[in-house]
């Protein structure tokens, strides 16, 4: 099967694979070359695939969509990072989630400040 993993800005993987293990909204599933065609929304998770040489590789992905048609499997995701081991991928995901949490907190603080400024303007206090 030809696996292609794309984000809005880049193609992360484009290679021949033997097996793909992914997580959809209803749980994990395995794709092999003779699997029926399928379309599945994906949850954020660590996807694994066995390359043509039989080695397992990992990709941390954000939510997206998987389409298998014939021998082609395409994933379109918001964010993806490749790795060589599951432990490495778990560390990357943990670091990334921490950065996202900090960024979200900063955005909430900015919104709260803007809301306060707008309320003050509406009440005529500025």
């Amino acid at each position: 099967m030809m696996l292609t993993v794309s984000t809005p800005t880049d193609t992360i993987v484009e290679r021949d694979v033997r097996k793909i293990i992914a997580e959809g909204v209803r749980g994990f599933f395995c794709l092999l070359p003779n699997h029926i065609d399928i379309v599945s929304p994906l949850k954020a998770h660590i996807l694994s695939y066995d390359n043509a040489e039989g080695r397992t590789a990992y990709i941390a992905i954000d939510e997206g969509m998987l389409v298998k048609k014939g021998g082609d499997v395409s994933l379109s995701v918001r964010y993806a990072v490749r790795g060589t081991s599951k432990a490495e991928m778990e560390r990357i995901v943990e670091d990334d989630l921490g950065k996202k949490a900090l960024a979200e907190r900063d955005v909430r603080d900015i919104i709260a400040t803007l809301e306060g400024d707008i309320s003050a303007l509406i009440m005529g206090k500025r």
Side-chain angles (χ1 to χ4, degrees):
M1 295 180 291
M2 179 58 69
L3 171 64
T4 304
V5 179
S6 301
T7 67
T9 59
D10 199 9
T11 298
I12 305 301
V13 172
E14 192 168 25
R15 68 175 305 152
D16 192 32
V17 301
R18 292 182 181 177
K19 176 173 81 172
I20 301 166
I21 298 177
E23 184 177 9
V25 294
R26 294 186 171 181
F28 281 93
F29 58 94
C30 177
L31 295 176
L32 298 170
N34 292 325
H35 195 283
I36 63 170
D37 291 348
I38 157 182
V39 175
S40 176
L42 299 172
K43 295 174 71 172
H45 71 287
I46 298 174
L47 175 135
S48 67
Y49 64 88
D50 290 355
N51 62 25
E53 297 79 33
R55 287 186 296 254
T56 302
Y58 301 90
I59 307 172
I61 64 168
D62 200 347
E63 58 191 25
M65 193 65 111
L66 176 144
V67 176
K68 181 191 183 295
K69 184 175 181 186
D72 296 325
V73 179
S74 299
L75 278 72
S76 179
V77 298
R78 292 191 301 171
Y79 174 77
V81 177
R82 291 174 61 174
T84 55
S85 73
K86 192 160 186 172
E88 175 189 15
M89 297 312 308
E90 289 170 349
R91 182 189 52 76
I92 289 170
V93 168
E94 191 173 304
D95 289 348
D96 190 52
L97 289 176
K99 289 176 188 173
K100 283 184 179 180
L102 289 174
E104 288 173 5
R105 187 195 69 208
D106 291 346
V107 168
R108 282 194 304 272
D109 290 347
I110 291 167
I111 290 171
T113 300
L114 288 172
E115 287 173 344
D117 291 347
I118 290 170
S119 293
L121 285 171
I122 290 172
M123 302 303 258
K125 295 183 180 180
R126 283 200 176 175

